[in-house]
Amino acid sequence: LAANFSMTCRKTNDGQLTEPSEACNEILKAAGEVTGALKPLTANQLLKQRQYMVELDAQRSIADRVLGFFNFVNIVWLISIIGILA
């Protein structure tokens, strides 16, 4: 939605919409529904969603790190077993 929004709606330097057209309002309303907001998002909220999603995606929990370590250990065991059998 954010990419479609930036192509459809024009902004001024301070981030406000120049003319909130019907297409812009529809995009903001759809973004509000997708994110579970009770009302349509503002232009600034929609444009900040991408950065927020990138930050969430970059976070790694303790469980992710532990599972990654166990996967590494399992690969080392597999290589060791293959080395013993060969």
Side-chain angles (χ1 to χ4, degrees):
L1 285 173
N4 190 14
F5 178 76
S6 63
M7 292 186 305
T8 305
C9 304
R10 303 276 184 238
K11 296 179 301 184
T12 59
N13 289 337
D14 61 354
Q16 299 298 320
L17 296 177
T18 54
E19 292 182 26
S21 66
E22 186 63 31
C24 293
N25 290 334
E26 289 298 319
I27 292 171
L28 291 171
K29 183 179 177 184
E33 291 172 0
V34 167
T35 59
L38 298 176
K39 58 185 180 178
L41 296 180
T42 64
N44 288 334
Q45 287 174 327
L46 181 62
L47 294 174
K48 290 179 182 177
Q49 287 295 321
R50 177 175 288 169
Q51 180 60 31
Y52 177 68
M53 296 301 284
V54 167
E55 289 174 7
L56 281 179
D57 190 41
Q59 291 179 355
R60 294 187 65 195
S61 68
I62 298 293
D64 291 336
R65 294 175 192 268
V66 169
L67 289 174
F69 177 72
F70 282 129
N71 284 336
F72 172 73
V73 170
N74 287 337
I75 290 171
V76 170
W77 272 105
L78 180 65
I79 292 172
S80 298
I81 292 169
I82 291 173
I84 291 171
L85 295 175

